[in-house]
Amino acid sequence: MSRPAILTGLLGGSFNPAHGGHRRISLFVADALDLDEVWWLVSPGNPLKDKAGMAPMPARVASAAAQARRAPIKVSAIERELGTRFTIDTLRALRRRYPKRRFVWIMGADNLAQFHRWRDWRGIAREMPIAIVARPGYDGAALASPAMAWLRRWRRRSGQRLDGASGSAPALTILRFDPDPRSATEIRAADPDWHRRISSLPSLRDAVTHRAIDARSFRDLRA
C-alpha cells in the first residue's frame, strides 16, 4: 500500500520580520485544510517590493525560526538555493524536487488584490490549489481584482473542502477567521532597527533542505 502524500502548505514572503500573525495564519490554514505542515519560504527579494529597509536574509530567517518553534512549520531559504526569482518558478521547482508531496499555495487577500501583476499568475493557479486568508481592509479589492474575475469559476463554495490540498488545480478557497491586524510594515515603522539587536546568530539551518544558512551576509549588522 502506497504511503499517502504529505500535505504541505506554502507561505512565501520576506518575513521582515516574521511575527505572531504569520504563525496564527499558518496554524489556522493547517487546521482548516488538514495539512501535515506549512513551509515558510523566506524570499531573497520580492520584485514587487522596495528593497529599502529589507533586513539581510539570515536575520529574517532567524526571526521566522523563532516564531515557528513548537509548531508544524518549517522555515526555509530554499528559493536562494534554487536560484528562482519568481513564484511560478519556485513552485514548479518544488514540485519537481518533492514529487511525493502535495502542495497548496497560501496568500493573504492583499496579495490576491495584486495577483494579476505576478509573473504568470494563471500558471501559479494551475500548479496547485490556492488558499486565500482574509486581511483587514483588503477583502473588497481582492474580490474585485482581475485575478479573482478569472479564478472565480474555480472557487470552492462555503463548506466545500479543498480536498485536503490534494485536489486538482486550479482550485481556490477563501478562508475567513478573526483577522489578525499585525503587520511587518507596522513593526518596522515602530522598530526599524529590529535586526541590529540580534547580537549573535543561532546555528541557522534550513528546516527543509537541512543545510546550514550562510551567516556571512549578516556581518553588516555588527559594523
Side-chain angles (χ1 to χ4, degrees):
M1 184 174 180
S2 61
R3 181 181 177 184
I6 301 172
L7 306 182
T8 306
L10 301 175
L11 180 65
S14 57
F15 295 94
N16 186 38
H19 54 77
H22 292 124
R23 179 187 175 99
R24 185 164 176 252
I25 286 171
S26 299
L27 295 178
F28 170 78
V29 174
D31 181 66
L33 300 183
D34 198 24
L35 303 177
D36 293 303
E37 59 189 27
V38 176
W39 291 0
W40 285 357
L41 306 179
V42 183
S43 173
N46 185 333
L48 296 180
K49 287 187 177 180
D50 190 348
K51 294 181 180 179
M54 185 67 68
M57 176 174 279
R60 295 185 281 121
V61 171
S63 76
Q67 290 292 337
R69 286 180 186 144
R70 295 182 295 279
I73 299 170
K74 292 183 177 180
V75 178
S76 178
I78 195 171
E79 280 187 290
R80 184 173 61 174
E81 178 181 328
L82 295 172
T84 54
R85 184 175 179 223
F86 296 99
T87 299
I88 182 62
D89 299 321
T90 298
L91 301 190
R92 286 172 176 165
L94 288 175
R95 289 192 65 195
R96 287 193 299 269
R97 182 176 285 206
Y98 301 101
K100 294 183 179 180
R101 288 181 179 267
R102 300 302 296 260
F103 293 107
V104 59
W105 180 247
I106 303 167
M107 63 182 184
D110 54 330
N111 280 321
L112 178 59
Q114 61 168 348
F115 193 39
H116 61 286
R117 297 174 57 199
W118 292 27
R119 172 72 64 88
D120 194 8
W121 60 272
R122 290 183 180 87
I124 293 173
R126 292 186 179 104
E127 281 296 316
M128 60 188 63
I130 298 175
I132 303 297
V133 182
R135 286 288 303 273
Y138 289 99
D139 283 3
L143 293 176
S145 68
M148 188 61 195
W150 185 81
L151 285 165
R152 188 171 284 114
R153 74 195 76 175
W154 291 292
R155 181 179 176 180
R156 295 291 190 262
R157 294 188 300 274
S158 178
Q160 208 175 8
R161 301 279 303 191
L162 197 65
D163 297 326
S166 63
S168 60
L172 174 75
T173 188
I174 296 179
L175 302 174
R176 301 191 178 280
F177 75 121
D178 182 22
D180 196 305
R182 287 172 286 189
S183 77
T185 301
E186 292 180 357
I187 292 173
R188 291 195 306 274
D191 185 13
D193 296 324
W194 66 270
H195 53 85
R196 295 185 182 276
R197 285 193 298 279
I198 303 178
S199 58
S200 61
L201 280 174
S203 178
L204 287 177
R205 190 165 293 277
D206 193 301
V208 172
T209 67
H210 307 295
R211 295 184 180 180
I213 295 175
D214 188 359
R216 286 176 296 179
S217 61
F218 193 71
R219 289 176 182 171
D220 64 305
L221 301 183
R222 300 171 183 167

